Amino acid sequence: MTKITDYDGPVLEIDKLSISFFTRLREIPAVMDFSVAVQPGEAVGLVGESGCGKSTVALGVMQDLGVNGRIVGGSIKFKGRDMSEMTQEELRDIRGNEIAMIYQEPMASLNPAMKIGKQLMEVPMIHEGVSKEEAHARALEVVTDVKLPDPKRMLDSYPHQLSGGQQQRIVIALALMTKPSLLILDEPTTALDVTVEAAVVELVKDLGKKYGTSMLFISHNLGLVLETCDRLCVMYSGEAVERGSIEDVFDDMRHPYTQALFRSIPLPGADKNARPLVAIPGNFPLPHERPDGCNFGPRCNYYMEGRCDQGYIPMDEVEGNERHVSRCLRMTEIDWDAPPEVAAKAEKPAVGEVVLKMDHLKKYYEVAANALFGGGEKRVVKANETLSFEARESETLAIVGESGCGKSTFAKVLMGLETATDGKIMMGDEEIQDVAIQDRSTETISSVQMVFQNPFDTLNPSMTVGRQIIRALEVFGVGESDADRRQRMLKLLDLVKLPRAFADRMPRQLSGGQKQRVGIARAFAGDARIVVADEPVSALDVSVQAAVTDLLMEIQRENKTTLLFISHDLSIVRYLSDRVMVMYLGHVVELGTTDQVFAPPYHPYTEALLSAVPIADTSVEKEHIVLEGDIPSAMNPPPGCPFQTRCRWKDKVAGGLCEQKVPPVRTLEDKHQIKCHLSEEVLASMTPVIKIAAE
């Protein structure tokens, strides 16, 4: 099919679009009165929480709404042509040829039984009828464009032989094979590490320029949208609520929901005690329970009864800027520059005695060279190498690093799910590194508890919420009788700010944030002294994240808990933690207070991590460091310093020392530890990665 080239208006024009899904019971409106336009070569961000209709808009553009979905109003025009009037054959030609989509989960887009090269070659052969040789040449060019190492070997690999970041690059290469005019990216980096995310985002921007592709970038991460897009559309509960350029929306927002979103994300300067985040009150409305008038009304600080709950609310221009519009009746009456009403400042709890001490902890796994059939010699995976640190009462210690760095292995050893290969773990006066969970005393088990990343997997779907918490109390031997335990369970629900009526609900009746609260209540059932929180908010929306992190802090203040917070999100780490431990390939490469770790001198890896974090603030300037290559395998680590294969400072160390010898742990000022060969002079010359422009 020849491409539509003689049209010079918007590539994509969505006008007053409404999409509904039809069930046996009712019509469920998913998107209402939604308009957005994407100009040639422009990147437009679509931002909002889960369930607001972002992906439904994308599926509407692809005309792929399934059996139950229907466009019930408005139009979607691609290069001036109404897509609802196209035949199935025309749509088939446009999909993949003119409009391509990149999904959140790369393996869902790849055929596991087909080599990468063949999957890439299929696209131009089917859409453009090119020869096998030309398709192969183009596949090689695109794989080189997406900066994958050894492109020829990549084409000859199966998807399972690639890392998550490499798979996502192949999916981007697939989407670019026909040089589409419009690329729709649906949360393309959510499943990736922050350093890989930075490289993929950089790649998408460069390729957009090279191929002149327009982009619709769907995300809930405002920082990412700031770094990738020219314009922005904010969605809430099926409607667009604000639209404008990045500068308009970030610096001159004119909708209460946009403002509330920004107040619930940890930007530089937020502080858990002095300047806590402000969570959005209430819950997201279900599609068939939306309020009258403004959908955001029941959760809005500026809500006026009798006005905000009446009829249809249109999108209006912001005075003096016809490209900036907002769906708010009180837009001109609100003082947008007024500081938020801050909750009472919390007292920083005094850090108490050491409750957990690790001394030269090692955890190695033996695996067969051929894991599938058990053949070949044994290989050793060094998951944790000589971890040493201590954590105190009422302290939050963050453990940061990419996937595969050993964070979760260390948590498993602490919990007793694995035993240590060497070294010591002292909890109070007790050594626990060699005691598996089934051999631990009830007291030890209840003292160390865990809050997991995915709240959906940690609850029993066939047991009520109250029963699951009571079950934990029974295991921990808490309470004299069933009535005692029921009272304690209700108090735990109060503690995590869930209504007591939720005790009789099943997990499927709860939202993600509510499920995570149940997980936290269960972790605190036995008065845990140490709580390991493994990415506890990464599966949650930003507004829910703020509520859950503040809840963890509040419980910590009351119970004097030690919190080990495992995360790759450095914005939350900066907000929450007192001290930070940075891990890379099983090693602790930096350990210090939050202020020490976030200010130079850094370990070169910490520096790259800080540069990779997207920050939703136009006044922040970042030094641009993109790590080349993927994290090496713990089965085959590089010789010398584990980070030397990706380090940009390596040439500052004489005599190839980085390749030969693991660096010693050095203590800088005030117990700040760094595992690095760089000299004092070079470390002293480092400049801040994140600079906040003066007001």
Side-chain angles (χ1 to χ4, degrees), residues 212-431:
T213 311
S214 304
M215 288 192 275
L216 186 62
F217 195 99
I218 297 172
S219 181
H220 65 265
N221 186 327
L222 287 159
L224 263 187
V225 168
L226 169 65
E227 290 183 8
T228 43
C229 298
D230 308 300
R231 285 175 53 248
L232 171 64
C233 175
V234 181
M235 277 188 88
Y236 181 79
S237 189
E239 294 178 327
V241 293
E242 185 162 10
R243 209 171 48 238
S245 71
I246 290 289
E247 288 74 20
D248 286 341
V249 178
F250 275 63
D251 299 338
D252 197 22
M253 59 192 75
R254 285 293 177 270
H255 194 279
Y257 176 61
T258 315
Q259 186 186 58
L261 264 188
F262 275 91
R263 286 177 175 177
S264 63
I265 54 177
L267 296 174
D271 178 286
K272 63 181 176 185
N273 297 307
R275 279 187 58 199
L277 301 180
V278 183
I280 305 176
N283 284 318
F284 201 77
L286 292 170
H288 57 281
E289 292 174 359
R290 291 189 178 109
D292 293 330
C294 175
N295 282 345
F296 187 58
R299 305 174 73 190
C300 178
N301 291 337
Y302 310 107
Y303 178 73
M304 272 181 80
E305 212 173 318
R307 187 165 168 209
C308 298
D309 51 6
Q310 304 295 309
Y312 167 75
I313 294 171
M315 281 287 237
D316 279 333
E317 279 176 21
V318 173
E319 219 170 303
N321 183 353
E322 79 265 4
R323 291 202 72 190
H324 184 188
V325 290
S326 167
R327 196 184 292 274
C328 178
L329 294 174
R330 303 199 57 204
M331 181 170 42
T332 53
E333 303 159 24
I334 294 168
D335 179 0
W336 295 100
D337 298 323
E341 282 181 25
V342 181
K345 285 187 186 178
E347 280 298 306
K348 189 177 187 307
V351 172
E353 73 221 30
V354 174
V355 291
L356 180 71
K357 188 172 176 159
M358 288 215 178
D359 200 11
H360 291 86
L361 178 81
K362 290 184 180 180
K363 176 62 188 171
Y364 295 174
Y365 294 97
E366 264 197 4
V367 292
N370 185 334
L372 191 59
F373 302 109
E377 88 245 59
K378 295 275 189 194
R379 305 280 290 277
V380 173
V381 177
K382 297 181 175 180
N384 286 155
E385 274 284 20
T386 58
L387 291 188
S388 296
F389 71 89
E390 46 189 43
R392 297 170 184 276
E393 184 181 87
S394 295
E395 178 179 57
T396 304
L397 172 68
I399 298 143
V400 176
E402 295 167 283
S403 312
C405 75
K407 309 186 295 278
S408 296
T409 301
F410 135 77
K412 283 178 188 166
V413 176
L414 175 60
M415 300 297 295
L417 300 171
E418 301 276 2
T419 53
T421 306
D422 196 9
K424 277 187 182 178
I425 304 178
M426 301 290 295
M427 197 172 79
D429 306 326
E430 191 184 358
E431 269 191 46

Side-chain angles (χ1 to χ4, degrees), residues 106-120 122 157-161 170-171 174:
M107 273 311 280
S109 313
L110 296 172
N111 182 337
M114 198 192 252
K115 285 185 176 174
I116 297 292
K118 198 169 177 205
Q119 296 193 45
L120 288 166
E122 267 191 351
S157 302
Y158 286 98
H160 71 266
Q161 295 171 305
I170 291 293
V171 171
L174 264 174

Side-chain angles (χ1 to χ4, degrees), residues 428-574:
D429 306 326
E430 191 184 358
E431 269 191 46
I432 58 169
Q433 72 278 357
D434 299 323
V435 189
I437 190 148
Q438 60 270 27
D439 302 324
R440 290 188 176 182
S441 67
T442 305
E443 191 186 340
T444 306
I445 292 172
S446 64
S447 295
V448 189
Q449 284 293 299
M450 196 155 179
V451 178
F452 295 91
Q453 175 170 0
N454 193 341
F456 306 93
D457 294 343
T458 54
L459 297 178
N460 183 334
S462 57
M463 214 186 252
T464 64
V465 165
R467 182 74 202 111
Q468 302 201 40
I469 297 172
I470 289 172
R471 179 89 190 85
L473 293 169
E474 286 169 358
V475 170
F476 298 148
V478 175
E480 300 293 315
S481 63
D482 287 351
D484 260 9
R485 283 188 277 274
R486 183 162 177 85
Q487 273 313 107
R488 171 95 176 121
M489 177 269 292
L490 293 172
K491 282 195 174 123
L492 282 162
L493 287 178
D494 296 343
L495 182 72
V496 295
K497 297 186 167 50
L498 282 176
R500 288 187 167 197
F502 275 37
D504 301 320
R505 287 199 184 181
M506 302 302 274
R508 65 172 187 275
Q509 297 170 293
L510 273 56
S511 69
Q514 289 166 342
K515 283 183 187 150
Q516 194 58 295
R517 285 164 189 249
V518 176
I520 293 169
R522 204 170 52 179
F524 281 94
D527 286 328
R529 293 176 64 197
I530 299 166
V531 170
V532 182
D534 188 359
E535 303 268 14
V537 293
S538 60
L540 306 176
D541 278 315
V542 276
S543 59
V544 185
Q545 270 185 14
V548 171
T549 41
D550 277 353
L551 173 69
L552 276 171
M553 292 298 94
E554 200 175 306
I555 296 174
Q556 182 187 38
R557 279 192 281 267
E558 274 181 38
N559 295 19
K560 298 192 171 172
T561 320
T562 303
L563 195 62
L564 300 181
F565 192 84
I566 298 175
S567 182
H568 66 265
D569 182 345
L570 283 172
S571 308
I572 286 215
V573 163
R574 183 179 204 159

